[in-house]
């Protein structure tokens, strides 16, 4: 296998920086430390980098020119969108030799096509702005997540982002119809035409989606839109266990099919933590349940609530559901989703935890949730596992809290790495993934190397060396 | 860019052949010309090759052992499934130095999972067998095509096959949940676990799907299943033009959504040819129409026929539809699909034609169908263009017949290449693809090179050289 360090990367020379300033103009180029500073640390404050300059391109042609200059000089580029990633994928290294490349100025929505239900958005368009612009045309972009106020189209595509609507609409990959990108040699790849069928060899769209900027820089994407929601129906169900929740999910999925958009599970302890720490929250159900399922339909009409109710009543008779309530208003729906979305915040209020974003086959998830705590406690007595999230996607956030009474920070410093290793090895044993939706970035690169099938690593390296032989594209990220 | 000829490929030595016989046993190895012969010519008789031996592996481990031996010796492998491809992708070259590798003995359905609605099938499972096996479990594999009696899972995945249900369920790519493959270094890549979310870097499943055996040999796939059809509803509509057909499609799609499975268009001339040449066929509508639309729903209940009828009646009032009829039985549905499926056969009965499998954005297709004949006739007076097929996918089969009265074979020999070039250039001008569903293989490799954006070719070459640096995997196919 080729050496991924490749030709030794260089810091940019003064002449190269001058040439870039010449291409980008003063609005697109800075070496000012105070201006760069907010973008050199990831939003969670875990990764800190330096950069020789920050480039803020305004057009695809400018991106191409900059990439050509960097390639000729053997200088590394680190593309960045909203800087809201979870794995340090957009933070440069500490050398100060890399160039930070912001796509945020490229924030034009080039077109919205009502007939074909698609939008062409540049890399720097913020997700929330995209939502609003297409809603104004009676359409909907059906992917959303907590960071929607800062996450950009380029970053969402580059990380194949997930969120809470994946059950119905898939991850970002399933919503990308076309991509425009600048490749490591500076060529512009124009793949924006919306072709439903195209068998001209390797699928370059799928290759760039989720590549975390290591194969090229995405400058624009054509994204699939769906009709606006006709009727939103939200249900909150008490269930005895993740097994019961899965059985309920299967019934709803089979009866409601494409109307079922969201199915999240939440343990009682998380609900308790939210009610204790987040002001203004109220329990949807009067009594404690082992687990809760938050279900959302994008239904064809409001009367489909009756169908959901009938299904849930039958599930109650069969012992799958212990209690239930449907939201009576959009405000109530929003209040319930606020409970779901506040779990991490409530958890932080009660102390530190070790977080894992993992997936296993959907059917196996109840087994993982049930069996991981015992395995964990055998090795780390008193450690507490909390699992919540996207059961329908086989993807949960699996957080481990220190034993009650322990000094949390000290315990994590001592055991954190070994705890994570135990969790990831369990996931892999079950055929799962150590990164379900957050990606690899710099955070999980060594982990991926250590715990992956060598065939997978060899393929990642082969693609990377084949497409970016000089390794100028976000080096040090993703590919071990 | 690296030289794709790579290290010079060798013919297999007697020692290598002996080693392969040792691995595969006499049932898995032959150099007998009569046994190999049927597999050395593609089914349409256009491509003829030779092979030093035919290897018929029985297990994934045997595939891995053979690939390692071939890799060490620098000998080329040509994987083959049902030998029903359209572009010569599974036919070895004429040198006699390549090894033909049949996957047909690997024909086990490893598992059918009712809960998760998926099947794991080995590469050699024939599509029709797959249909029958999953139907016996009350499920359905929703991809079908003319060659279903010979096409295999491995070939269908490797060519990202299409067919008549793509409108609803996508091409093969959208139905593949996981892949097991042997990579060019002989490593087994086990990606069969059904993970709905997995962000461990470049998507290797999407990379192997449609790679035509040039990046590795697919040995098994996990495929998505759907519930059996509750109610099949077939409609035949007379429409004035492709524009009207597209407007009808948009209305049906918006009102029926996921129930709409098929939408094919057929010009009157094709219907006439079928009625004239195919015994036992009858016109669905009493009068001539400019165009016909064959529509199929996989509906949630039989009474959805009323909804289709209401929509069509409204479309008739609005002048989009000139006449219509719904099938009264499964037999009638089948008879209508037989008309659609017999177009090529009827066309052959009336003489030779030059065939093109092309796609453009769906909205642009009516313009292409309307404008290509004029462009064609300006250059080749009297040439007749026939367009039919998957309007909803933006994919039609565009056949050019010689002028009436001309010696067809001679005319095609003289003008065929230039005619195709004109068609493909028009398609590309409209942002389309010169291969919608049939792939590239050896037939369109030079064409792809000549008519593609250099950035696309560079990416194809980069991936190929990165993953198969010795170029032993189906060399000479796909990658220019």
């Amino acid at each position: 296998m080729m050496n991924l360090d490749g030709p030794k990367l260089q810091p940019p020379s003064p002449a190269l920086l001058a040439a870039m300033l010449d291409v980008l103009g003063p609005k697109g180029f800075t070496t000012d430390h105070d201006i760069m500073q907010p973008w050199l640390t990831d939003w969670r404050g875990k990764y800190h980098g330096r950069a020789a300059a920050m480039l803020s391109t305004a057009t695809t042609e400018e991106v191409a020119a900059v990439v050509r200059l960097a390639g000729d000089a053997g200088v590394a580029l680190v593309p960045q969108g909203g800087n809201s990633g979870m794995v340090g994928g957009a933070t440069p290294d500490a050398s100060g030799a890399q160039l930070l490349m912001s796509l945020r100025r490229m924030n034009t929505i080039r077109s919205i096509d009502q007939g074909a239900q698609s939008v062409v958005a540049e890399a720097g368009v913020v997700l929330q702005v995209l939502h609003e612009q297409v809603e104004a045309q009676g359409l909907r972009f059906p992917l959303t997540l907590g960071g929607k106020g800062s996450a950009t189209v380029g970053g969402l595509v580059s990380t194949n982002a997930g969120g809470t609507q994946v059950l119905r609409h898939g991850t970002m990959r399933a919503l990308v119809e076309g991509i425009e990108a600048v490749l490591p040699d500076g060529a512009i790849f124009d793949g924006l035409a919306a072709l439903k069928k195209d068998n001209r060899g390797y699928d370059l769209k799928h290759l760039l989606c989720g590549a975390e900027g290591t194969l090229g820089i995405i400058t624009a994407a054509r994204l699939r839109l769906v009709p606006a929601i006709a009727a939103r129906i939200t249900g909150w169900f008490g269930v005895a266990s993740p097994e019961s929740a899965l059985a309920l999910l299967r019934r709803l999925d089979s009866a409601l099919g494409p109307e079922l958009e969201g199915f999240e599970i939440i343990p009682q302890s998380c609900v308790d933590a939210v009610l204790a720490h987040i002001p203004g929250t109220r329990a949807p159900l009067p009594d404690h349940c082992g687990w809760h399922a938050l279900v959302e339909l994008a239904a064809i009409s409001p009367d489909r609530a009756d169908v959901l109710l009938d299904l849930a009543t039958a599930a109650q008779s069969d012992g799958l559901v212990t209690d239930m309530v449907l939201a009576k208003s959009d405000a109530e729906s929003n209040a319930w989703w606020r409970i779901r979305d506040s779990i991490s915040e409530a958890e932080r209020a009660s102390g530190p935890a070790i977080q894992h974003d993992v997936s296993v086959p959907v059917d196996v998830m109840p087994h993982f949730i049930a069996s991981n705590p015992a395995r964990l406690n055998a090795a780390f007595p008193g450690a507490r596992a909390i699992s919540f999230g996207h059961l329908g996607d086989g993807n949960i956030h699996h957080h481990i809290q220190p034993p009650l009474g322990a000094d949390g920070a000290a315990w994590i410093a001592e055991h954190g790495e070994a705890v994570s290793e135990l969790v990831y090895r369990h996931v892999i044993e079950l055929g799962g993934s150590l990164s379900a939706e957050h990606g690899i970035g710099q955070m999980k690169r060594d982990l991926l190397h250590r715990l992956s099938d060598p065939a997978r690593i060899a393929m990642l390296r082969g693609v990377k060396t084949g497409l970016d032989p000089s390794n100028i594209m976000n080096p040090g990220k993703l590919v071990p």
Side-chain angles (χ1 to χ4, degrees), chain A:
Chain A
M1 190 47 57
M2 286 172 240
N3 176 11
L4 266 181
D5 294 336
K8 189 74 193 137
L9 291 169
Q10 302 294 324
S13 66
L16 177 68
L17 293 177
M20 288 190 167
L21 172 59
D22 201 45
V23 167
L24 301 174
K27 279 181 74 174
F29 181 93
T30 187
T31 56
D32 184 315
H33 183 263
D34 290 345
I35 296 174
M36 292 197 288
Q37 190 53 36
W39 310 104
L40 294 174
T41 294
D42 75 310
W43 69 282
R44 297 201 298 180
K46 289 191 172 188
Y47 300 96
H48 306 279
R50 293 170 57 219
M54 183 164 82
L55 318 175
S56 300
T57 49
T59 66
T60 302
E61 290 68 30
E62 284 186 4
V63 175
V66 162
V67 169
R68 274 193 302 272
L69 286 169
D72 290 346
V75 170
L77 296 168
V78 180
Q80 188 182 80
N83 194 25
S84 54
M86 304 292 280
V87 291
T91 308
D93 69 13
S95 70
Q98 301 187 324
L99 293 168
L100 184 63
M101 188 149 178
S102 168
L103 279 295
R104 284 181 295 277
R105 279 178 75 201
M106 294 181 61
N107 60 0
T108 301
I109 291 181
R110 292 189 190 162
S111 62
I112 297 177
D113 185 334
Q114 294 257 358
Q117 302 204 336
S118 72
V119 55
V120 176
E122 290 185 345
V125 171
V126 170
L127 180 55
Q128 190 163 331
V129 173
L130 180 71
H131 283 160
E132 290 162 4
Q133 295 289 313
V134 303
E135 272 162 27
Q137 310 272 332
L139 293 165
R140 180 165 70 109
F141 181 64
L143 182 142
T144 189
L145 35 71
K148 66 183 174 183
S150 54
T152 60
V153 165
L156 292 162
V157 176
S158 289
T159 58
N160 183 28
T164 48
Q165 259 81 9
V166 171
L167 181 64
R168 166 71 181 105
H169 300 286
T171 60
M172 200 68 188
R173 179 183 300 290
L175 296 167
V176 175
E177 295 185 332
I179 280 181
E180 177 192 272
V182 174
L183 306 180
D185 65 355
I188 296 172
F189 173 68
D190 178 2
L192 284 178
L195 299 178
K196 289 187 185 282
K197 281 182 175 173
D198 182 11
N199 268 346
R200 283 176 288 176
Y202 318 141
D203 195 300
L204 306 177
K205 175 184 82 189
H206 281 296
L207 198 51
L208 291 166
C209 185
E212 302 183 1
T214 62
L215 301 179
I217 295 174
I218 292 170
T219 49
R222 180 183 289 275
L223 303 172
R224 182 162 68 84
L225 302 175
V226 299
I229 295 178
R232 180 188 187 194
I233 298 165
T234 311
W236 189 287
F237 300 89
V239 291
S241 66
E243 280 88 349
S244 303
L246 182 59
L248 175 65
L249 167 65
R250 291 287 186 230
R251 288 187 183 198
L252 299 185
D253 188 34
S254 138
L256 299 165
E259 291 179 297
L260 182 64
E261 274 219 346
F263 193 106
E264 302 280 308
I265 58 165
I266 309 167
Q268 181 68 46
S269 63
C270 285
V271 175
D272 292 341
V274 170
L275 299 181
H277 294 289
I278 309 295
T281 51
R282 290 180 47 194
L285 295 175
D287 298 321
H288 274 209
C289 308
W291 290 79
H292 302 259
L294 174 56
V295 174
E296 181 135 321
L297 310 189
I300 50 177
S301 63
D303 61 9
R304 299 288 285 174
D306 298 340
V307 179
L308 178 60
L309 213 52
D310 288 349
L311 288 163
T313 305
Q316 194 161 18
S317 305
D318 297 340
L320 293 179
V321 166
T322 56
D323 201 358
M324 60 180 171
V325 56
L326 298 195
K328 284 172 287 299
S329 66
D330 238 27
E332 196 166 27
S333 294
N334 293 341
W336 294 354
W337 276 102
R338 187 164 166 244
I339 295 175
R340 160 66 184 88
D341 291 338
S342 303
I343 293 173
S344 289
E345 189 184 338
E347 182 189 86
R348 269 195 299 277
S350 51
I354 315 165
Q355 307 181 343
H356 309 92
D357 157 51
V358 296
S359 64
V360 295
V362 178
D363 284 332
V364 178
M365 188 51 90
H367 167 75
F368 173 76
I369 294 173
S371 63
N372 185 259
R375 192 182 283 219
L376 188 72
N377 267 281
F380 306 98
R384 295 163 298 153
I386 292 174
S387 310
F388 64 95
H390 325 297
L391 180 68
D393 307 329
N395 169 208
I396 53 153
H397 301 295
H398 190 67
H399 295 185
I400 311 298
Q401 294 178 314
L404 283 169
D407 174 338
W411 189 86
I412 289 177
E414 186 180 347
H415 300 294
E417 214 165 301
V419 164
S420 291
E421 183 106 1
L422 181 147
V423 168
Y424 290 129
R425 286 197 183 273
H426 194 183
V427 164
I428 289 166
E429 203 179 294
L430 298 173
S433 169
L434 54 81
S435 181
E437 58 178 10
H438 294 166
I440 300 296
Q442 51 184 301
M443 177 173 153
K444 293 186 176 178
R445 196 181 76 131
D446 294 340
L447 186 76
L448 181 71
H449 193 198
R450 205 165 63 245
L451 298 185
S452 290
D453 176 5
R456 175 182 294 274
I457 303 299
M459 280 196 80
L460 294 181
R461 287 179 174 170
V463 172
K464 171 70 173 173
T465 51
L467 292 179
D468 181 22
S470 304
N471 196 24
I472 61 164
M473 286 292 171
N474 212 5
K477 312 290 165 53
L478 177 54
V479 187

